[in-house]
Structure formats: C-alpha cells, structure tokens
Amino acid sequence: MAETIFSKIVRGEIPCDKVYEDNLSLAFRDINPQAPVHILIIPKKDLEDISKIDTESGLLEHLIRVANQIAVSEGIAESGYRLVVNKGAHGGQTVNHLHIHLLGGRPLTWPPG
Ligand code: AMP
C-alpha cells in the first residue's frame, strides 16, 4: 500500500495531538474535528482499510477496546458516541490507513450524508 500521512504520524515524523498509545495502536485528535470529541484510533501496522484486517488477529477488537476506553476518559461514555470506519471513495475514506473515528460530545444526526 502507498505511504500515508498516518504512517508518518506513527513513526513520529509528523506531530499529532496524541490521546493514547500502545504497542499496537495510536489515538490522536482529528485535525478537522466534526464534534467536540473527534479522535482517530489507528493500528500502528500499515493496513489500507477495514477490508484488509485479519479478523482472526484480535486487532479490530483491540482498536474498539481502545476507542471505548477513550470514550470513558473523554467523559462521553454515558452520553453516547459514534464509532465510524470509512472505506473507499463512496465510503468517504480520504486517508488510506485504517482508522476508527470516535465522535461525541453532542447529539449526532442520522443518517449520515
Ligand atoms: P476519512 O475521511 O475517514 O479517511 O478520515 C480521515 C480523517 O483524518 C479526516 O477526518 C481528517 O480530518 C483527518 N486527518 C487528516 N490528516 C490529519 C492529521 N495530520 N492529523 C489528524 N487528523 C488528520
């Protein structure tokens, strides 16, 4: 897969507003937030999108666990939040490195655009 800005963030070559990090994942605030809380949770490993994940690896569960923990630490667990994964052009994916959006801090409308 082609190099993305998120790979550079993982390697520390581009700064980010880091919220959480472990050996498998990194979470940082979205540069263009769509809600009071808008955090991206990404695998450190280069994976182009959600279709490339090995569902036997436990990585997806790990990323969701991290997202849920961050929701607690951000104080939005009780009010609720949304986890979003965009895939491909029609899915609205603009960075081709798998990421989970954690959105919350205000009521979110449905359906999305
Ligand atoms: P998506 O459209 O699902 O691929 O989401 C990509 C997200 O990455 C967008 O919400 C962007 O605002 C965000 N983004 C792009 N570059 C950066 C960056 N350098 N730091 C933080 N967020 C970024």
Side-chain angles (χ1 to χ4, degrees), residues 34-52:
Q34 302 301 310
V37 175
H38 188 173
I39 292 166
L40 303 174
I41 299 98
I42 73 170
K44 287 188 168 174
K45 179 180 170 181
D46 284 347
L47 279 173
E48 191 174 348
D49 59 50
I50 191 72
S51 75
K52 303 292 191 301

Side-chain angles (χ1 to χ4, degrees), residues 74-99:
E74 291 289 315
I76 59 171
E78 289 302 315
S79 53
Y81 51 92
R82 187 173 295 168
L83 302 181
V84 174
V85 179
N86 296 324
K87 193 289 192 222
H90 282 193
Q93 184 175 10
T94 59
V95 177
N96 292 330
H97 182 124
L98 173 62
H99 48 283

Side-chain angles (χ1 to χ4, degrees), residues 5-6 9 28-32 38 40 86 92-95 99 101:
I5 194 165
F6 289 179
I9 288 175
F28 51 91
R29 292 187 197 282
D30 197 293
I31 205 166
N32 182 23
H38 188 173
L40 303 174
N86 296 324
Q93 184 175 10
T94 59
V95 177
H99 48 283
H101 295 258

